[in-house]
Amino acid sequence: MRKTASLAVVVAALSACGNTSTTAPADTASGMQAAVEQAEGDAQAAGAASTGDAPLKPGQTIQGSIEADVGNGTQSFRSLATKVADDIGAQVEGKLDTGKGQRAIDDANRKLEKLGVESRVGADDVREMVEGMAGKTFHDASVMQVDIIKSLQVSLKGTASDGAQVDLAMTFDDKSLALTSSNFSYRPKANAMFDFYEAKDKEGFAVTVERFERNADGTYAIAGSFTAKDVPASAMAKKLPSASLPAASGRFDYASLPLKQMPKFGK
């Protein structure tokens, strides 16, 4: 997983494909999706992600937004859909053998070493990953069908202009569309993996869903609001300014969330 995350950062550094973290996670393996999400902070720090009200990069469109107050006044946390360039392979190939390409790979390997991962990445690893990304569209926000527990899992990930991120997750019964659980997290710095605040369902956190419905094209629309009080920091947080976030509140509105299927076990 960490090796794939490092590969995502190399690709972001060498290409003009936009925010490969958008989520990165598409039709390529779902593991790559999760890995690229893990690398989102590094990719953004490398200049790969458009945040907040920043101009969109080629291939990017706005899916929707979460208007939230997490202690700094109301901010817009924007979710993007990013289509990776069809010629991403050629873009990356042209830079792999340059000094920039080698530096990007060296940086990725230093991060792996720092994390205690023995395996290393090389040019061929980058080429293999890029082959599976070309022309794909990655989404910051989506709905996942999980047949084994008969649920729809909504994931809304948004980024503000200062790089801060919020993540609102909700689970619904796939037949009645009734909300069954929810949680919220706020990460002041995108590249700080463990430094975030998290509010869980029934622990001072509440979501009001005003609309959750399936569109004619198979996508989903959702809108509503949320409130949270005394949001605790992650148990592994080290650099957050306080042990808890006094309050958080906001609204969300998405007109067309793509539906994805949870891969079957053994496939």
Side-chain angles (χ1 to χ4, degrees):
M1 183 70 76
R2 288 172 175 171
K3 179 176 179 178
T4 308
S6 294
L7 282 170
V9 177
V10 174
V11 174
L14 295 181
S15 68
C17 64
N19 182 4
T20 57
S21 67
T22 45
T23 294
D27 295 339
T28 319
S30 61
M32 188 190 79
Q33 167 78 33
V36 182
E37 286 179 345
Q38 179 182 338
E40 188 172 69
D42 284 341
Q44 184 171 342
S50 288
T51 61
D53 56 359
L56 296 177
K57 296 182 181 298
Q60 291 183 327
T61 57
I62 298 174
Q63 290 188 269
S65 66
I66 302 172
E67 305 296 321
D69 185 347
V70 288
N72 303 312
T74 301
Q75 295 175 274
S76 179
F77 293 84
R78 193 170 63 176
S79 301
L80 303 178
T82 301
K83 181 182 183 299
V84 178
D86 293 327
D87 65 346
I88 182 67
Q91 292 183 34
V92 172
E93 185 64 37
K95 298 175 183 177
L96 271 176
D97 295 328
T98 66
K100 180 179 180 180
Q102 189 57 54
R103 286 193 297 272
I105 291 173
D106 290 344
D107 286 344
N109 284 324
R110 277 193 291 270
K111 290 179 181 179
L112 287 173
E113 184 176 6
K114 186 176 181 180
L115 290 169
V117 179
E118 293 184 1
S119 61
R120 296 291 180 265
V121 299
D124 287 341
D125 297 309
V126 177
R127 292 186 182 96
E128 182 178 356
M129 183 177 190
V130 167
E131 286 177 2
M133 293 174 63
K136 305 293 185 181
T137 298
F138 299 112
H139 301 87
D140 284 336
S142 63
V143 178
M144 179 72 75
Q145 174 91 42
V146 186
D147 291 333
I148 193 171
I149 57 174
K150 301 183 185 305
S151 71
L152 294 171
Q153 297 184 351
V154 177
S155 176
L156 309 178
K157 301 176 186 293
T159 304
S161 58
D162 62 0
Q165 297 178 331
V166 295
D167 187 343
L168 180 59
M170 294 166 281
T171 299
F172 295 83
D173 179 272
D174 64 357
K175 301 300 182 185
S176 66
L177 300 187
L179 180 67
T180 58
S181 67
S182 58
N183 63 70
F184 168 84
S185 66
Y186 165 58
R187 193 185 307 273
K189 295 183 178 181
N191 58 354
M193 184 179 295
F194 302 111
D195 291 334
F196 61 90
Y197 298 96
E198 183 175 31
K200 297 183 178 180
D201 195 27
K202 300 178 182 179
E203 296 180 5
F205 177 61
V207 172
T208 299
V209 178
E210 300 165 0
R211 175 171 57 106
F212 181 51
E213 57 192 18
R214 187 181 177 96
N215 298 320
D217 63 358
T219 63
Y220 280 82
I222 190 168
S225 60
F226 65 90
T227 59
K229 294 182 178 180
D230 299 320
V231 184
S234 162
M236 300 182 69
K238 297 181 180 180
K239 298 181 180 180
L240 290 174
S242 60
S244 65
L245 190 67
S249 61
R251 293 190 55 80
F252 51 92
D253 192 348
Y254 293 76
S256 181
L257 296 176
L259 176 65
K260 301 182 179 182
Q261 294 288 333
M262 174 70 75
K264 305 293 185 182
F265 289 110
K267 294 184 178 180

